[in-house]
Amino acid sequence: MAEIQVVDKEEKLLIQRAYRGLLKSIHSPMDEEDRDNIRKAYKLAVEAHAKQRRKSGEPYILHPIAVARICAEEVGLGPTAIVAALLHDVVEDTDVSLEDIYSRFGDRVAMIVDGLTKLDRSYDSDSPQAENFRKVLSTLVKDVRVVLIKMADRLHNMRTLGSMPRHKQLAIAAETNYIYAPLAHRLGLYNMKTEFQDLCMKITDQESYQDIARKLQETKTSRTSYIEKFIVPMKKELEEAGLSFRITGRPKSIHSIWNKIKSKEVIFEEIYDLFAVRVILDVPRRLEKQACWQVYSIVTDVYRPIPERLKDWVTTPKSNGYESLHTTVIGQDGRFVEVQIRTERMDEIAERGYAAHWKYKGVSDSPDVYESWLDNVRELLENHETDAIEFLNDFKTSLFNEEVYVYTPAGDMKILPKGATALDFAFMIHTDLGLRCTAIKINNRLVPMGYRLQNGDQVGVQTGKNQKPNESWLKLVVTGKARSKIRTALREERKEQGAIGKETLERKLQHLKVDFETNADMLVKHFGFRSRLDLYSAITHDEINLLELKKFKVEGQRLLPPVVEEPVKVEKPEEEAPSTFRRSSPPKLLLNGESADQYEYQLANCCNPVMGDDVFAFLSSNSGMKIHRTTCPNAVNLMANYGYRVMKAEWVQAGTSSFRVDLLVTGIDTGPGVIERLSQRISSTLGLNIRSFYIDGDEGFFEGKISLIVSNKDQIVQAIQALKTLDGISSVTRVESN
Ligand code: MN
């Protein structure tokens, strides 16, 4: 951040205008004290950030003002949160201390600002990002506003990411995708989640993003007129029924359209339900359910519904609080249109999630959906021994998208993430029930503990007093709670067992008349363990032979291991090479703008980048520098946890390099001719080498994987185009990741 001496007039006006915009955006009721506090916070922030500028060059203060505005306008937060948002970067970046905040604004604001201040840079950790996130979450359970402001902060940073260097953009996008978007979903902030996903996609997959954005723009007029035509008969019937309502129609997000293109393997033009029509009712709370179903009945009288697409979150809300009735109907020209039916209250909860939920608390008689989730997070946080990355992974499982509804033997409904197992259920009910679980019955039939729960299952758990979890249980669960409880139990167990092993070792060393402390760490190393505890538990389990100690020399208090001749190292046959560098000159890359020759790097095996792909470099802790595609699914995880290890990478066009690329081909099996035609087209027409060819057919369909050697991305595009036009081929796609 460069220092500036004078803030010029124009900038002053800019700042004041932003502040006035913020004040106008506040809709929650405020008294004189609230207004005063906001003014004080603004003044303090302006002063404190006076000498700072953002990467874009604009005055820094515009950022906290914008964050406060998002809090007020888009999340619907009140004065306390607005004050904290204005001050959120003050302690971290300026001379103002937390004590200052405390004495001027009180303990609530100070607590929130503290939660938003990053840990000291000297904090020693494998992943500072994950540590910081754990810190934010530990305040989340005290005051959810911390996380809501944090997300507003991230949203503004994402919106203004343009002036950051590309590799930083990628790291921030990855972290956003990994944790902030799912968190926004979990807190019911659908608009924010959608914007996060779209902004991320714009960075990681610019081409597809622009492509869809352009097509949406091109089809806008025809879509709008279709929707208008669609609404007319429906609206007429609803009015005749005397309902008070409004109808909106909007296109789905670019990211969700892209997901559909990928998962359904269709092209843009083939996606019919690009938009959702929303009927929002104005009815008293007690008539809500009845009114929603009345609308459903009217809509489906006008248009024929597709029964499988009916979703009733009015009777049973999602665990993030979402309530709505969805149906897909067949409109004019046979096009599918999704109709969402909800009330004004449901709509506000759907748009503003947690904050709106708060507003209706007490008014609503439904159980508090967030409370049980927060309990869950609280429990994860209590487990201090988990390292930050483990914690983050456990936490992430609590952010699930889809859920499964099951019942206890008493008929109580429980909601778990989709994919959760019977054992997860046991842990969800009670930790002890999980730890002592011996058998599980689903609908009165015995199932394995790893059984995946299905909607409507009734789950009974049987326990045994002497039951103990073992390592393999970790593979039988998916929820963070179960995982962390099992890990803690295993750790305890190992400590207990270690005590036995330690005693044994102490006895042996006493026998040899040497001191325990002097020799313990040497023995850990000698037997190849990482910690004393590992050594002790190996002794308990007779995994090492302590008779070996007899061969040691004793020198005073010290044991000396016998000298062993170095065994001749057998060169392991190299596993599949990371990429085919051998026959041609290595690909040229620039890392952080410098020639990559000075680094040892490899192209990542998972996503097989090819010259021309959008790539970045990642410095892994044990396997050196790897080059990944920016769309690589593994990369998202890597960057989210270790963003500081990401480096910018660019291709340099030079010489001929060769790369491996995997293509997935599907089609209709028209006999053995397929393989021949495919390989014919690849080798003679395209002049490319096939490295391997694997094809598997079943009942008239086949799926195959072809590994090709290419020298750049253009060749892949050509190959895909050429193979697609062959008879019997339905799709050709590049494998994203292995
Ligand atoms: Mn900030």
Side-chain angles (χ1 to χ4, degrees):
M1 273 162 279
E3 291 216 350
I4 42 153
Q5 301 305 326
V6 208
V7 179
D8 63 43
K9 248 195 207 153
E10 231 169 273
E11 281 188 342
K12 244 185 186 163
L13 280 173
L14 197 67
I15 294 166
Q16 278 163 5
R17 206 175 309 134
Y19 179 60
R20 274 201 302 277
L22 162 67
L23 292 178
K24 267 195 228 137
S25 72
I26 305 174
H27 292 298
S28 51
M30 290 199 292
D31 54 26
E32 207 28 63
E33 194 188 338
D34 292 331
R35 261 182 272 275
D36 197 45
N37 275 332
I38 292 176
R39 200 178 311 122
K40 266 164 57 191
Y42 166 67
K43 284 226 166 97
L44 177 62
V46 167
E47 233 169 79
H49 292 299
K51 290 185 176 168
Q52 293 169 340
R53 286 182 176 269
R54 303 196 82 204
K55 266 258 149 54
S56 59
E58 61 179 19
Y60 193 85
I61 182 66
L62 292 174
H63 166 66
I65 295 176
V67 173
R69 183 163 175 172
I70 294 173
C71 286
E73 204 166 34
E74 294 174 50
V75 192
L77 292 174
T80 310
I82 291 164
V83 168
L86 283 169
L87 300 171
H88 83 271
D89 276 333
V90 151
V91 175
E92 189 174 309
D93 295 342
T94 77
D95 296 334
V96 179
S97 72
L98 203 58
E99 287 75 42
D100 294 335
I101 306 272
Y102 174 79
S103 63
R104 289 195 220 186
F105 298 94
D107 54 355
R108 209 10 84 155
V109 172
M111 194 274 281
I112 298 178
V113 173
D114 184 29
L116 292 164
T117 305
K118 276 194 193 138
L119 292 163
D120 205 294
R121 257 166 230 166
S122 59
Y123 194 92
D124 180 40
S125 162
D126 223 23
S127 173
Q129 265 165 299
E131 289 292 354
N132 274 315
F133 209 82
R134 172 150 68 177
K135 187 180 172 231
V136 170
L137 290 173
S138 64
T139 35
L140 155 79
V141 296
K142 282 185 245 159
D143 195 322
V144 179
R145 283 174 292 191
V146 177
V147 157
L148 296 175
I149 298 170
K150 181 87 191 162
M151 288 202 288
D153 181 26
R154 174 55 57 109
L155 185 59
H156 185 245
N157 285 333
M158 289 288 295
R159 282 176 183 170
T160 53
L161 214 51
S163 28
M164 284 279 188
R166 171 103 178 119
H167 66 291
K168 287 213 171 130
Q169 290 184 1
L170 287 171
I172 293 171
E175 196 191 21
T176 304
N177 229 337
Y178 185 76
I179 199 89
Y180 288 90
L183 189 53
H185 176 89
R186 191 64 191 75
L187 291 168
L189 298 157
Y190 281 90
N191 289 342
M192 198 186 272
K193 174 189 116 176
T194 305
E195 192 174 346
F196 273 145
Q197 287 174 330
D198 276 3
L199 288 168
C200 285
M201 184 183 164
K202 204 172 166 184
I203 290 164
T204 53
D205 203 345
Q206 211 160 20
E207 245 172 81
S208 313
Y209 182 91
Q210 302 298 5
D211 189 41
I212 295 174
R214 187 174 44 77
K215 284 176 177 155
L216 273 179
Q217 192 57 40
E218 284 167 6
T219 53
K220 199 174 170 191
T221 340
S222 69
R223 262 186 300 123
T224 315
S225 70
Y226 181 85
I227 281 291
E228 278 166 5
K229 217 169 70 193
F230 176 87
I231 289 174
V232 174
M234 202 168 98
K235 198 171 164 194
K236 187 170 153 264
E237 296 295 322
L238 290 170
E239 274 163 357
E240 266 168 33
L243 290 157
S244 155
F245 66 95
R246 60 191 170 97
I247 298 184
T248 63
R250 61 164 106 175
K252 300 208 165 147
S253 76
I254 292 184
H255 181 261
S256 71
I257 293 173
W258 179 226
N259 262 350
K260 217 162 244 183
I261 291 179
K262 278 197 295 191
S263 66
K264 304 238 163 88
E265 294 194 11
V266 291
I267 54 170
F268 180 88
E269 287 71 18
E270 287 168 10
I271 300 184
Y272 19 71
D273 50 349
L274 282 169
F275 26 56
V277 168
R278 202 172 275 168
V279 182
I280 303 164
L281 289 155
D282 189 9
V283 285
R285 179 81 176 95
R286 63 192 169 83
L287 296 177
E288 283 187 334
K289 188 174 171 184
Q290 182 183 329
C292 287
W293 283 103
Q294 190 188 356
V295 172
Y296 174 79
S297 166
I298 292 169
V299 170
T300 52
D301 278 345
V302 178
Y303 295 112
R304 201 156 63 82
I306 300 162
E308 311 84 81
R309 302 273 293 263
L310 172 65
K311 281 170 190 150
D312 173 13
W313 289 300
V314 168
T315 311
T316 314
K318 284 191 185 187
S319 57
N320 64 3
Y322 185 79
E323 295 170 66
S324 199
L325 187 62
H326 291 192
T327 177
T328 299
V329 299
I330 304 172
Q332 288 93 345
D333 313 329
R335 289 169 81 177
F336 290 17
V337 179
E338 186 177 278
V339 181
Q340 306 177 345
I341 304 162
R342 52 173 77 157
T343 63
E344 291 288 353
R345 181 191 62 87
M346 294 174 186
D347 192 54
E348 198 178 342
I349 287 182
E351 305 265 298
R352 289 186 171 169
Y354 192 83
H357 165 84
W358 198 253
K359 180 174 147 193
Y360 290 106
K361 221 182 164 185
V363 183
S364 149
D365 48 0
S366 52
D368 195 324
V369 284
Y370 292 103
E371 221 30 70
S372 63
W373 173 67
L374 285 174
D375 278 346
N376 224 318
V377 178
R378 224 169 264 140
E379 252 180 273
L380 289 179
L381 283 161
E382 274 161 16
N383 196 343
H384 293 293
E385 284 181 78
T386 356
D387 73 51
I389 291 176
E390 264 177 7
F391 167 78
L392 200 60
N393 285 330
D394 286 350
F395 174 73
K396 209 176 134 53
T397 65
S398 78
L399 303 176
F400 51 87
N401 259 310
E402 287 185 73
E403 38 210 29
V404 48
Y405 300 82
V406 297
Y407 299 86
T408 67
D412 290 336
M413 190 183 73
K414 299 284 167 195
I415 306 177
L416 282 94
K418 199 171 172 184
T421 64
L423 191 54
D424 280 308
F425 173 87
F427 275 97
M428 182 195 197
I429 301 297
H430 195 278
T431 304
D432 279 336
L433 201 63
L435 293 172
R436 305 260 173 269
C437 172
T438 51
I440 290 175
K441 278 186 169 176
I442 301 281
N443 309 328
N444 265 322
R445 278 190 24 224
L446 226 42
V447 296
M449 293 205 278
Y451 167 87
R452 288 196 191 286
L453 299 170
Q454 307 292 320
N455 276 326
D457 280 349
Q458 190 160 43
V459 197
V461 180
Q462 294 172 9
T463 56
K465 249 194 296 181
N466 298 321
Q467 177 68 308
K468 267 190 234 158
N470 59 52
E471 203 77 35
S472 71
W473 281 29
L474 287 170
K475 295 203 188 83
L476 302 179
V477 296
V478 301
T479 59
K481 174 172 178 182
R483 265 217 307 251
S484 103
K485 293 293 174 191
I486 294 170
R487 263 202 313 262
T488 310
L490 291 174
R491 210 175 281 130
E492 289 303 315
E493 166 98 3
R494 242 159 51 93
K495 268 188 201 156
E496 272 169 41
Q497 292 180 346
I500 305 172
K502 187 179 178 197
E503 255 178 55
T504 314
L505 184 64
E506 276 170 342
R507 255 198 333 271
K508 290 271 186 226
L509 294 183
Q510 226 167 32
H511 200 69
L512 293 167
K513 300 199 171 56
V514 292
D515 180 49
F516 180 82
E517 272 306 315
T518 319
N519 296 293
D521 290 331
M522 177 277 290
L523 291 171
V524 170
K525 252 200 186 150
H526 175 80
F527 287 106
F529 292 105
R530 283 199 334 222
S531 70
R532 287 192 185 189
L533 192 56
D534 289 341
L535 173 68
Y536 301 156
S537 88
I539 294 172
T540 315
H541 293 110
D542 278 329
E543 281 160 12
I544 55 167
N545 188 359
L546 284 182
L547 288 175
E548 212 182 297
L549 290 181
K550 289 195 174 152
K551 295 184 202 147
F552 282 51
K553 262 198 229 158
V554 179
E555 239 184 58
Q557 286 297 330
R558 201 170 285 279
L559 274 179
L560 293 177
V563 183
V564 201
E565 273 178 45
E566 277 284 310
V568 182
K569 267 195 194 151
V570 185
E571 205 55 58
K572 259 200 257 167
E574 207 181 322
E575 286 172 30
E576 202 191 338
S579 213
T580 31
F581 287 158
R582 258 165 263 134
R583 257 186 251 141
S584 52
S585 59
K588 290 270 189 269
L589 275 165
L590 286 181
L591 291 176
N592 274 353
E594 287 168 49
S595 161
D597 294 345
Q598 51 184 314
Y599 301 99
E600 259 191 63
Y601 64 89
Q602 293 179 326
L603 302 184
N605 245 335
C606 46
C607 53
N608 292 321
V610 162
M611 180 171 299
D613 280 331
D614 219 352
V615 290
F616 69 94
F618 182 82
L619 188 62
S620 67
S621 55
N622 41 33
S623 46
M625 182 86 74
K626 289 271 164 75
I627 310 297
H628 290 267
R629 281 155 67 188
T630 56
T631 51
C632 173
N634 294 328
V636 170
N637 192 350
L638 292 175
M639 289 195 287
N641 284 315
Y642 308 100
Y644 59 98
R645 294 193 187 151
V646 173
M647 287 167 79
K648 178 176 157 186
E650 299 157 286
W651 299 102
V652 179
Q653 293 292 350
T656 47
S657 306
S658 55
F659 302 88
R660 190 187 104 198
V661 59
D662 295 336
L663 298 181
L664 201 64
V665 183
T666 63
I668 305 152
D669 204 343
T670 47
V674 174
I675 299 185
E676 224 179 274
R677 267 181 288 140
L678 278 167
S679 42
Q680 175 77 18
R681 178 66 62 101
I682 293 166
S683 30
S684 351
T685 319
L686 295 161
L688 297 173
N689 282 320
I690 300 175
R691 194 169 131 149
S692 66
F693 201 136
Y694 167 85
I695 204 154
D696 195 14
D698 181 33
E699 291 178 18
F701 286 100
F702 73 85
E703 198 179 270
K705 192 166 148 183
I706 311 174
S707 288
L708 294 179
I709 304 300
V710 298
S711 50
N712 56 46
K713 195 182 168 190
D714 292 344
Q715 288 188 335
I716 302 175
V717 178
Q718 278 166 16
I720 290 176
Q721 285 306 339
L723 297 182
K724 261 189 181 165
T725 57
L726 282 175
D727 262 359
I729 303 295
S730 0
S731 79
V732 184
T733 47
R734 183 171 173 195
V735 177
E736 282 286 335
S737 143
N738 289 308

